[in-house]
Amino acid sequence: MRCGSHRRRRLGGTVRTRTTLPALGKLAALAAAALVLAACGGGGGGGGATAPGAGAGGEALTLGFSQVGAESGWRTANTKSVQDAAGAAGIELQFSDAQQKQENQIKAIRSFIQQRVDVIAFSPVVESGWDTVLMEAKRANIPVILTDRAVDSTDTTLYKTFLGSDFVEEGRKAGQWLVEDTAGGSGPVNIVELQGTTGSAPAIDRQEGFAETIAQNPDLKVIASQTGDFTRSGGRQVMEAFLKTHPDIDVLYAHNDDMGLGAIEAIEAAGKVPGTDIKIITVDAVKDGMQALADGKINYIVECNPLLGPQLMDLVKKVAAGEEVPQRVVTEETTFDTAAAKAALPSRQY
Ligand code: GZL
């Protein structure tokens, strides 16, 4: 609820109001401002019970959220988690879908600053190019929370916390499964890799973690690696090209289920059996990926949990109230083989 022509924001335990009173004498202006404040539940204290997700003055907190896009099953689940959790927390959500374009995210963040939202959260589509707009939010005293993906800014005062997975560890888990699955084998194992969006934290880190882990076995060789932009169509198109160029592919490592599912279409169209002729490792563990795993078309999935909404809303309330929060909040996640996928599918939320 907003009072009159001003918004009340909380940051660092201080209440800041911005009123648009007509030009009055200083005393009269102060008196008028005091009246306006009183009508809006007083200053910082804001007596009386507050609704969940409300500021100390009793009005609902407003969160500006810039989402990457709707490129994958994971993203759809992540968006639903954020929207549902905001509703449950009584937080007013201004949601923006950037269609995987950084310039759209920057525009959205500037719009949130203009709207004087209480908190800004976003999943940066790529790691670089955020310092300027994050400095604008800092100067406007609006706290920023990174969710899902990280930025490469060296100035960590530009955001309050980063809530998301450890993508390097996800790559390591994928590589470790392959090292164990090929242990004792002889001869080269030819791997092709479908990378996520170029320049994005998950693509950079999942490639790094996988490469450092498979280095244990010199027979494991990545013979081709290219972005499929986290989409099914991207995975299918790149896998079609890989199959034309490399008749001897043994393993596919895809940075997400959607590209792996697209690749399966290409593998089957080429007359090969996914999961048998070409072993497949993916990341995410969304329902469609888990079904392919249960069916034996994918061999191993490293989970990347998209259900960040509830944790995000807790962090929003804390930073809006000026409370300290950890610089990094890592999401809990696991791995699945075929048996585990069959057991998990009936109750899978996403
Ligand atoms: C990972 C997330 C990635 C998913 C993809 O946290 O950013 O983006 O792995 C999604 O499915 O497109």
Side-chain angles (χ1 to χ4, degrees), residues 71-72 74-75 148-149 167 202 206 230 255-256 284 304:
E71 74 282 359
S72 63
W74 189 98
R75 189 64 56 197
D148 167 29
R149 297 183 182 179
F167 302 128
R206 284 171 185 167
F230 281 131
H255 291 183
N256 81 331
D284 277 351
C304 178

Side-chain angles (χ1 to χ4, degrees), residues 29-254:
L30 284 174
L35 284 174
V36 168
L37 274 176
C40 286
T50 56
E59 62 177 11
L61 290 174
T62 303
L63 168 65
F65 186 89
S66 170
Q67 180 60 292
V68 165
E71 74 282 359
S72 63
W74 189 98
R75 189 64 56 197
T76 304
N78 179 249
T79 291
K80 186 176 185 308
S81 176
V82 168
Q83 291 174 332
D84 291 353
I91 289 173
E92 193 179 308
L93 182 65
Q94 308 282 349
F95 182 89
S96 160
D97 174 336
Q99 296 171 337
Q100 287 191 276
K101 292 183 175 59
Q102 180 174 31
E103 63 265 24
N104 289 345
Q105 289 199 288
I106 291 172
K107 280 182 200 150
I109 291 169
R110 287 189 167 129
S111 167
F112 297 148
I113 293 169
Q114 286 301 318
Q115 294 173 52
R116 309 293 308 157
V117 298
D118 293 292
V119 181
I120 291 170
F122 74 116
S123 171
V125 60
V126 292
E127 281 193 340
S128 305
W130 302 101
D131 285 41
T132 300
V133 73
L134 291 179
M135 183 55 79
E136 291 167 21
K138 184 177 178 182
R139 287 202 187 105
N141 281 323
I142 299 178
V144 173
I145 295 173
L146 302 182
T147 85
D148 167 29
R149 297 183 182 179
V151 299
D152 62 7
S153 301
T154 52
D155 180 358
T156 55
T157 68
L158 293 175
Y159 54 89
K160 291 294 181 186
T161 183
F162 165 36
L163 163 64
S165 303
D166 180 341
F167 302 128
V168 176
E169 186 55 30
E170 292 172 346
R172 290 189 187 114
K173 289 176 183 176
Q176 191 56 38
W177 180 85
L178 186 57
V179 166
E180 291 166 10
D181 186 66
T182 55
S186 60
V189 176
N190 296 323
I191 304 162
V192 293
E193 181 179 25
L194 285 169
Q195 298 174 26
T197 301
T198 302
S200 69
I204 293 166
D205 293 353
R206 284 171 185 167
Q207 181 173 34
E208 176 191 324
F210 183 77
E212 77 178 35
T213 304
I214 66 169
Q216 297 172 54
N217 176 353
D219 282 340
L220 300 177
K221 294 188 186 313
V222 177
I223 59 174
S225 183
Q226 189 177 328
T227 184
D229 210 17
F230 281 131
T231 65
R232 283 197 196 199
S233 58
R236 188 184 64 252
Q237 287 158 24
V238 174
M239 193 67 199
E240 284 166 356
F242 284 163
L243 287 161
K244 288 191 180 87
T245 314
H246 302 283
D248 53 353
I249 298 170
D250 300 304
V251 176
L252 163 65
Y253 167 49

